[in-house]
Amino acid sequence: MKWEVIEEGEKALLYHYNGKVSLKQGPKRLWLVASKLKRLEKFTAHHNEYLAIELLDGYIEHKIGPCSEVFNPLVHLKIRVEKCYCLDTNQAIVTYTKTGKENKSEVNIIKGPGIFMIQPNEWVHKFSWHGEEENSKVKFVANKNKFEVLNCAPDQLYYNVDEVRTSDDALIRIKLMIFYELKDIAKMLNETKDPIADILNCSKADVIAFTARKTYLNFLETCHLLNELTEFPKLVDRSEKIGYEITKVVFRGYFASPKLQALHDSSIKTRTDLKLKFESEIQQQKQLDQNLKNDISRLTTEQELEFQKLLNHLEMNRLKVIDENRINLEEKKSKIEMDTKLKLKDLENLAKKNEQKLEHLEKLNQFNIDLTDYLVTSLSSADKHVKIVKRQDNLSGKNNENSTNIHFHE
């Protein structure tokens, strides 16, 4: 016999001596007589958790947190605290929901962001894909990567295609980096169980097809084409069918066997030496060509200078002749103008003299002076003298007063 105390928020089962069991809830103080008290365990779920409660009658109940539940063995078979699925923006899960009595199920694709709780009639799809080996990023093992939350963000993988044989039987290893992105989850679920395996196999098939039709040297010359998606038709086609998109393929280089690499290095050295000699010879020829061009350019410049000097000399002579002709012309023009002015002045003087003389003669005429006699006497002696005498009247023998006497002097 003893006292037992049940704290507030606690529950306990009280087993009596007669086999009866009763549920006690605190706060409470009990006096135990021929009985046994069993405290019940309390399960608590936080905001990102939920309680999976299995009842004795077979039903299962899920309660989203935050919540709590006391495990009662009279009612409950098991209580578990499970984590909810906390999905980011580029994450998703695939669930299957049991519907009806025919045991059929529906596929649900749930994308983040958000917190998701699985219902009792649901289960989550578990993916099992090829994954990277430990301590190696370029080797993949089947069923290595097991997960439930899909990553829908763009991602990439490193992959080495080993033992690729060229047309001249050279074995090489080709290194790739493949960028991909999940676009259609439903198509991926319907078309493939392991999309990574499909991507690896198709990329390997495209690389083998690219290399098989080329020799080793041709491969070295055209290996940069492996950076183009056009050289990976199978990979691109298969990715579209399984809901993926190949955004880019990067050729990271190649690896050959030591012997083949040694032969290649030797051939590279030989080609490099020949190339250097060839480039040196080309450089010398270019230098000679440049010197010749410089000489030709110098001679051409000198000829142009001489020709320009000659043109300048001719132009100076032409300008000199033009100036001389202009000066002579101006002198002649000035002389003509001067002579013209002198002649005009002489004519003006002569005209003034004639006017004065005419005025003088008019004045003499006013005084009834015989102008003819005056003019005759004023002239110098003449070489020839012509005289016209007045006609006498035959009857009277007198001169006619109206007749005129005219003298001509030459």
Side-chain angles (χ1 to χ4, degrees), residues 150-255:
L150 279 171
N151 182 19
C152 300
D155 203 353
Q156 71 280 338
L157 60 86
Y158 296 87
Y159 183 51
N160 291 348
V161 184
D162 295 327
E163 297 183 355
V164 180
R165 190 178 296 275
T166 61
S167 61
D168 53 354
D169 292 335
L171 287 176
I172 55 177
R173 177 189 300 162
I174 297 176
K175 303 176 183 180
L176 300 175
M177 184 167 67
I178 303 173
F179 293 83
Y180 60 90
E181 183 178 358
L182 178 58
K183 291 292 187 179
D184 192 336
I185 299 176
K187 187 184 291 186
M188 183 267 294
L189 293 173
N190 293 328
E191 296 296 333
T192 182
K193 292 183 178 180
D194 190 348
I196 300 299
D198 292 347
I199 291 174
L200 297 178
N201 292 332
C202 291
S203 62
K204 186 174 184 178
D206 288 327
V207 168
I208 292 174
F210 176 83
T211 311
R213 60 178 182 267
K214 301 180 183 297
T215 63
Y216 182 69
L217 294 179
N218 290 336
F219 170 78
L220 297 181
E221 294 174 356
T222 59
C223 60
H224 64 277
L225 295 177
L226 290 175
N227 290 303
E228 304 293 336
L229 285 178
T230 54
E231 299 297 333
F232 295 87
K234 296 179 181 178
L235 175 61
V236 173
D237 181 64
R238 181 57 183 168
S239 298
E240 292 178 355
K241 290 181 179 179
I242 63 176
Y244 274 78
E245 179 185 2
I246 303 299
T247 57
K248 190 176 182 181
V249 177
V250 177
F251 173 63
R252 300 188 298 116
Y254 72 96
F255 176 79

Side-chain angles (χ1 to χ4, degrees), residues 135-400:
N135 303 325
S136 177
K137 289 186 177 181
V138 296
K139 293 183 179 180
F140 292 81
V141 180
N143 301 320
K144 177 69 175 178
N145 188 15
K146 296 182 180 181
F147 59 95
E148 294 179 348
V149 179
L150 279 171
N151 182 19
C152 300
D155 203 353
Q156 71 280 338
L157 60 86
Y158 296 87
Y159 183 51
N160 291 348
V161 184
D162 295 327
E163 297 183 355
V164 180
R165 190 178 296 275
T166 61
S167 61
D168 53 354
D169 292 335
L171 287 176
I172 55 177
R173 177 189 300 162
I174 297 176
K175 303 176 183 180
L176 300 175
M177 184 167 67
I178 303 173
F179 293 83
Y180 60 90
E181 183 178 358
L182 178 58
K183 291 292 187 179
D184 192 336
I185 299 176
K187 187 184 291 186
M188 183 267 294
L189 293 173
N190 293 328
E191 296 296 333
T192 182
K193 292 183 178 180
D194 190 348
I196 300 299
D198 292 347
I199 291 174
L200 297 178
N201 292 332
C202 291
S203 62
K204 186 174 184 178
D206 288 327
V207 168
I208 292 174
F210 176 83
T211 311
R213 60 178 182 267
K214 301 180 183 297
T215 63
Y216 182 69
L217 294 179
N218 290 336
F219 170 78
L220 297 181
E221 294 174 356
T222 59
C223 60
H224 64 277
L225 295 177
L226 290 175
N227 290 303
E228 304 293 336
L229 285 178
T230 54
E231 299 297 333
F232 295 87
K234 296 179 181 178
L235 175 61
V236 173
D237 181 64
R238 181 57 183 168
S239 298
E240 292 178 355
K241 290 181 179 179
I242 63 176
Y244 274 78
E245 179 185 2
I246 303 299
T247 57
K248 190 176 182 181
V249 177
V250 177
F251 173 63
R252 300 188 298 116
Y254 72 96
F255 176 79
S257 63
K259 291 183 179 180
L260 181 60
Q261 191 64 37
L263 290 174
H264 180 58
D265 293 340
S266 177
S267 63
I268 290 176
K269 184 177 182 303
T270 303
R271 288 199 304 270
T272 304
D273 293 339
L274 293 174
K275 186 177 180 180
L276 290 175
K277 291 180 181 179
F278 179 72
E279 290 179 353
S280 177
E281 184 66 24
I282 289 178
Q283 191 66 28
Q284 292 179 1
Q285 295 297 327
K286 286 184 178 180
Q287 187 63 37
L288 292 175
D289 292 341
Q290 187 64 35
N291 293 336
L292 182 59
K293 288 181 181 179
N294 292 336
D295 294 338
I296 294 173
S297 178
R298 189 179 299 109
L299 291 174
T300 303
T301 304
E302 292 176 356
Q303 290 178 356
E304 290 178 353
L305 289 175
E306 292 295 331
F307 182 70
Q308 191 65 34
K309 288 181 180 179
L310 180 60
L311 290 178
N312 292 335
H313 181 68
L314 294 175
E315 183 68 17
M316 293 296 293
N317 291 335
R318 187 181 69 83
L319 294 176
K320 184 177 180 182
V321 172
I322 290 174
D323 290 339
E324 290 177 354
N325 293 333
R326 181 177 57 79
I327 293 171
N328 293 332
L329 182 61
E330 290 179 354
E331 290 178 354
K332 290 181 180 180
K333 184 177 180 181
S334 300
K335 186 176 180 181
I336 292 171
E337 290 178 354
M338 185 63 69
D339 295 339
T340 303
K341 288 180 179 179
L342 292 175
K343 289 181 179 180
L344 289 174
K345 190 173 183 181
D346 293 339
L347 291 175
E348 289 177 357
N349 294 331
L350 181 60
K352 288 181 180 180
K353 289 179 179 181
N354 291 332
E355 288 178 357
Q356 293 176 358
K357 192 174 181 179
L358 181 60
E359 290 178 358
H360 179 67
L361 293 176
E362 287 179 351
K363 289 179 179 181
L364 292 176
N365 189 29
Q366 290 177 0
F367 291 105
N368 296 322
I369 297 175
D370 191 357
L371 295 179
T372 303
D373 294 337
Y374 174 76
L375 291 175
V376 171
T377 57
S378 64
L379 293 175
S380 60
S381 59
D383 295 336
K384 184 184 288 185
H385 187 202
V386 179
K387 184 178 182 182
I388 301 174
V389 184
K390 294 182 180 179
R391 182 178 62 83
Q392 294 182 354
D393 191 356
N394 294 328
L395 296 178
S396 63
K398 296 181 180 181
N399 292 329
N400 190 359

